[in-house]
Amino acid sequence: MTPTTFRPGRRAVVAAAATALPLLGLAACSSDTGDGPDLGGGEGGDEGDGDSVPQADALASGPVAADDVIAASAWATAIKEKGQLVRGGTVANQVFSLASTTGGMPTGFDAGITQLLAKYILGEGGEEKVEYIDTTVETRETMVQNDTVDCVIATYSITAERLEVIDFAGPYYLSGTSIQVRAEDKDTISGPEDLTGLKLVTQANSTGIQAIEENVTDPADVQTLPDNESCVAALKQGRADAYVLDQGVLLGNSAADPDVVVVGEPFVDDPYGIGLSQENEDALDFCNTFLQEIIDSGSWESLWTATVGEVIDGEAPEPPVPGDLPV
Amino acid sequence: MDAIRENLPLLAQGIGTTIALTVLGYAFALILGTVLAVARVSPIPPLRGAATVYVEIFRNIPLLSLLILIAFGLPDVGLLLPYFWCGVLGLTLSSAAFVCENVRSGINTVPVGHAEAARSIGLGFFGTLRFVVLPQAFRSMVQPLVNVFIGTVIGSALCSAIAVQEVTWVTQTLNIRYAQAVLMFMIAGAVYLLLSLGGAALGGVIERAVAPGGKDRSSGRAALDVTAGAQA
């Protein structure tokens, strides 16, 4: 059937042209923004690539477990037999785990811990035999429970509720929740007590939400966005007055962009652990032994220096005690 | 289940926001999409061209990208909308492109002779559309428009990525605290299922009401009234 057409009167032409104008405006507007806002995705790659060499040093110093240590753990034996460690996590976090743009291994603190664990179980060269499976905060517990992944290493905060459904080895890193503001606000905001009545932003996949609930009285609004770049954009554009998250990530933002600064000291301890299934009873002890070994061998410290140390000033902190769960 | 019981108000608020996003987004999309469709069948080439450009742009941008562009791109050119209205705008712009194509194909099902007959009795362009073409066209558009509605319901979940506190956002937030992903997302899934089924059921009712075979004039009028109802 042929399309129906109409012969319009003069008034109709004028009316139709009037409708077209805003539409043209919309189309023009959308092509203006079609290049995409610069959400700051660029700086991540630079840092990741720059880290690759020191991180390789940290990996080279990593220990390898003796055969009888592996044999004593059914979990580790199974991984050694299949010749691959399957890690759940992300490869989109600048400081902790970022996919390489040049085809190498992911870089960052969590990525380094993963590679050290793979080397510990699989022997020399094992650090390259890792399968990285993307997990989100929604899927982490489930993927650990149903053995889709051998472990989750993903800035995974140890909390009482999570301990009910999975095991945590570690903590292997003690993070702190901190506050980032626009540079012009740095004199008026210095701690969670100054955030009352302000609009706050944090990442959807973080414990920042709980940190806000427990430490900030009556914030005007708590926004959660999926990634660091949109949180920074929200802060800079005035959608939010303060950005609450892990200090390491916030310091990375300040290093990349002088318009945002970190104020005060971290106000909540945020211990990261290796998520493990409760079904694999021996995995917990095995991973804690592994963490103690990389601390004793100095690999933990050189990994910290190569990754988190790039965005935080000062010496590497004292490593946490594996097995010393905070809750 | 404690996670649900203790957070019923938050869940209810999330469901309310999801419904508001969907209803507003879909209503504006119906209006904008119909205007665009009229432009696409109009005899004025620049108008047809503009509407075609619109449809091709907004039909082909992933909704998530569009939402992020609106939420974080528009402020860079000086327009800072609240997140909720960014969500409504994104849903409207995207769904309107699909509404436009549905309305246009509905208009194409009306025989040319009807329009010619309308002109011969002295109706102008808009008179022909309003009294002859659109009433008939809307009948064949009911089910495709229900599909767009369901697309809008499902698309509203993406608004959680721009901090709109709808039901997916609530689900994510509760899951961070309670680590109960499967339970939480089953509930969110059920909400979307109910909304979509409700939309489909309403579409069925409308389709029967405007089905040809009844008195022609009244059914034609019903089709238009019903669209007005769906927009409210």
Side-chain angles (χ1 to χ4, degrees), chain A residues 1-8 16 19-20 23 33 37 137-138 161-162 204 206 213 222-226 234 237 239, chain B residues 35-36 43 47 69 71-72 75-76 81 83 107-108 110 112 115 119 125 128 161 163 165 169 172 175-177 181 185:
Chain A
M1 199 169 291
T2 49
T4 318
T5 51
F6 311 94
R7 188 184 308 140
T19 356
L23 293 179
T33 54
V137 69
E138 289 83 26
E161 288 82 5
R162 289 173 185 166
S206 76
E213 276 178 11
V222 180
Q223 307 157 15
T224 61
L225 292 167
Q237 291 170 348
R239 288 187 182 282
Chain B
V35 170
L36 284 166
L47 201 53
L69 273 177
F72 300 110
D76 285 345
L81 289 173
Y83 288 118
I107 288 174
N108 283 347
V110 178
V112 181
R119 273 206 300 276
F125 176 71
T128 308
Q165 306 194 350
W169 183 92
Q172 288 169 338
N175 180 52
I176 288 164
R177 186 160 349 140
F185 278 85

Side-chain angles (χ1 to χ4, degrees), chain A residues 20 39 41 124 218:
Chain A
L39 298 182
E124 293 292 337
D218 295 329

Side-chain angles (χ1 to χ4, degrees), chain A:
Chain A
M1 199 169 291
T2 49
T4 318
T5 51
F6 311 94
R7 188 184 308 140
R10 183 170 299 156
R11 242 183 308 175
V13 178
V14 173
T19 356
L21 281 177
L23 293 179
L24 283 170
L26 270 176
C29 170
S30 72
S31 58
D32 278 350
T33 54
D35 298 329
D38 184 9
L39 298 182
E43 66 264 28
D46 303 342
E47 280 182 23
D49 291 339
D51 289 342
S52 56
V53 173
Q55 184 161 343
D57 291 346
L59 289 179
S61 69
V64 174
D67 286 344
D68 58 325
V69 177
I70 303 274
S73 161
W75 179 78
T77 308
I79 292 168
K80 186 149 196 175
E81 277 171 6
K82 69 181 171 188
Q84 196 177 40
L85 175 72
V86 182
R87 184 205 77 162
T90 171
V91 284
N93 180 315
Q94 297 186 38
V95 181
F96 284 90
S97 186
L98 185 73
S100 165
T101 48
T102 51
M105 294 185 287
T107 53
F109 192 79
D110 280 346
I113 294 281
T114 307
Q115 288 146 12
L116 283 168
L117 177 60
K119 182 182 177 187
Y120 186 69
I121 299 173
L122 300 169
E124 293 292 337
E127 64 269 22
E128 293 180 9
K129 298 175 191 161
V130 180
E131 186 183 353
Y132 298 90
I133 298 216
D134 263 2
T135 55
T136 64
V137 69
E138 289 83 26
T139 54
R140 286 188 298 203
E141 291 85 21
T142 312
M143 288 177 100
V144 168
Q145 284 172 320
N146 64 19
D147 283 334
T148 310
V149 296
D150 294 318
C151 59
V152 167
I153 304 178
T155 61
Y156 201 176
S157 304
I158 304 171
T159 67
E161 288 82 5
R162 289 173 185 166
L163 276 170
E164 286 174 17
V165 286
I166 63 165
D167 279 343
F168 277 103
Y172 63 87
Y173 182 74
L174 293 179
S175 167
T177 305
S178 208
I179 301 168
Q180 183 154 49
V181 297
R182 290 181 293 274
E184 67 261 29
D185 292 335
K186 69 178 178 208
D187 297 327
T188 51
I189 300 170
S190 61
E193 63 280 359
D194 299 327
L195 298 180
T196 303
L198 296 186
K199 290 180 286 181
L200 310 179
V201 65
T202 185
Q203 276 187 37
N205 57 350
S206 76
T207 44
I209 302 163
Q210 266 171 286
I212 290 171
E213 276 178 11
E214 284 159 20
N215 294 278
V216 181
T217 11
D218 295 329
D221 184 21
V222 180
Q223 307 157 15
T224 61
L225 292 167
D227 51 49
N228 182 50
E229 284 71 30
S230 18
C231 289
V232 175
L235 178 64
K236 287 177 70 180
Q237 291 170 348
R239 288 187 182 282
D241 302 313
Y243 175 16
V244 176
L245 201 76
D246 169 65
Q247 193 190 34
V249 179
L250 297 185
L251 286 165
N253 296 336
S254 306
D257 186 345
D259 291 345
V260 289
V261 292
V262 178
V263 289
E265 289 301 309
F267 58 95
V268 178
D269 290 334
D270 208 359
Y272 296 161
I274 301 179
L276 298 164
S277 166
Q278 290 178 340
E279 304 280 309
N280 303 320
E281 290 165 10
D282 50 271
L284 181 60
D285 285 342
F286 182 89
C287 287
N288 278 335
T289 310
F290 153 75
L291 290 172
Q292 193 59 57
E293 291 228 4
I294 60 166
I295 290 168
D296 293 344
S297 70
S299 309
W300 189 95
E301 194 181 324
S302 46
L303 179 62
W304 188 94
T305 312
T307 56
V308 188
E310 295 274 300
V311 292
I312 296 184
D313 291 332
E315 294 293 299
E318 194 67 19
V321 180
D324 183 17
L325 293 184
V327 281

Side-chain angles (χ1 to χ4, degrees), chain B residues 81-96:
Chain B
L81 289 173
Y83 288 118
F84 176 81
W85 293 104
C86 288
V88 171
L89 182 60
L91 288 169
T92 300
L93 293 178
S94 176
S95 296

Side-chain angles (χ1 to χ4, degrees), chain B residues 25-26 29-30 33 54 58 90-100 148 151-152:
Chain B
Y26 186 65
L30 277 182
Y54 176 94
F58 287 99
L91 288 169
T92 300
L93 293 178
S94 176
S95 296
F98 292 96
V99 168
C100 169
V148 178
T152 312

Side-chain angles (χ1 to χ4, degrees), chain B:
Chain B
M1 290 308 279
D2 284 351
I4 309 301
R5 214 173 305 128
E6 290 164 15
N7 293 287
L8 275 180
L10 190 61
L11 265 174
Q13 181 211 319
I15 294 170
T17 307
T18 290
I19 293 174
L21 275 175
T22 307
V23 171
L24 286 171
Y26 186 65
F28 291 137
L30 277 182
I31 297 168
L32 178 58
T34 307
V35 170
L36 284 166
V38 170
R40 285 206 76 171
V41 299
S42 77
I44 310 158
L47 201 53
R48 283 206 303 270
T52 308
V53 167
Y54 176 94
V55 167
E56 292 310 331
I57 288 176
F58 287 99
R59 195 168 59 166
N60 293 308
I61 298 182
L63 180 55
L64 183 59
S65 314
L66 181 62
L67 288 168
I68 289 173
L69 273 177
I70 293 171
F72 300 110
L74 286 188
D76 285 345
V77 294
L79 181 61
L80 188 74
L81 289 173
Y83 288 118
F84 176 81
W85 293 104
C86 288
V88 171
L89 182 60
L91 288 169
T92 300
L93 293 178
S94 176
S95 296
F98 292 96
V99 168
C100 169
E101 290 304 88
N102 286 340
V103 173
R104 190 170 68 102
S105 60
I107 288 174
N108 283 347
T109 64
V110 178
V112 181
H114 291 211
E116 287 168 349
R119 273 206 300 276
S120 74
I121 59 167
L123 285 173
F125 176 71
F126 286 109
T128 308
L129 270 185
R130 163 72 180 81
F131 295 109
V132 178
V133 177
L134 282 183
Q136 299 185 74
F138 267 118
R139 279 183 203 155
S140 62
M141 293 180 317
V142 174
Q143 281 311 323
L145 286 178
V146 167
N147 287 346
V148 178
F149 176 79
I150 292 173
T152 312
V153 171
I154 291 168
S156 74
L158 294 173
C159 295
S160 65
I162 53 164
V164 179
Q165 306 194 350
E166 44 72 68
V167 75
T168 302
W169 183 92
V170 171
T171 313
Q172 288 169 338
T173 308
L174 292 182
N175 180 52
I176 288 164
R177 186 160 349 140
Y178 296 96
Q180 299 278 351
V182 177
L183 174 68
M184 290 299 178
F185 278 85
M186 272 168 56
I187 290 170
V191 170
Y192 290 112
L193 185 68
L194 283 176
L195 281 176
S196 299
L197 286 178
L202 189 63
V205 170
I206 294 171
E207 194 174 38
R208 275 191 297 281
V210 301
K215 277 169 276 170
D216 249 13
R217 227 181 274 163
S218 65
S219 67
R221 206 164 286 146
L224 281 178
D225 291 349
V226 150
T227 332
Q231 290 168 13

